[in-house]
Amino acid sequence: VRIRSAVGGKDEEGLLSECGRGECAALESYREALELRLPESLYVLVRRQCLEVEMARDRLKVLEELD
């Protein structure tokens, strides 16, 4: 309920769309970070998190298609 009010009372499809936009923005930031010269341990951490965000975005796409 709080999430719905935070995105302007949108319906379920609107919520999924907003979440998808957020995941895409996060992915862009992760990909930019991965282009930097990071220490190996930090690179591995950022890469793993990037993959997790990609999986979350893919799950959101599936949910959007079900609607």
Side-chain angles (χ1 to χ4, degrees):
V1 175
R2 290 184 188 147
I3 293 172
R4 186 165 285 155
S5 65
V7 291
K10 294 185 178 193
D11 59 7
E12 188 171 319
E13 183 178 340
L15 288 172
L16 291 173
S17 179
E18 290 296 323
C19 290
R21 274 194 279 280
E23 298 296 334
C24 287
L27 278 174
E28 184 177 328
S29 295
Y30 274 109
R31 289 177 178 147
E32 288 174 7
L34 289 169
E35 292 178 9
L36 302 174
R37 301 186 93 193
L38 301 172
E40 183 65 23
S41 60
L42 184 55
Y43 179 87
V44 169
L45 175 67
V46 172
R47 180 69 182 136
R48 185 174 69 232
Q49 290 176 347
C50 182
L51 291 172
E52 290 173 4
V53 173
E54 286 176 345
M55 289 188 299
R57 183 210 49 207
D58 292 346
R59 286 191 299 268
L60 283 170
K61 284 183 179 181
V62 168
L63 291 172
E64 286 178 329
E65 292 171 3
L66 292 175
D67 258 350

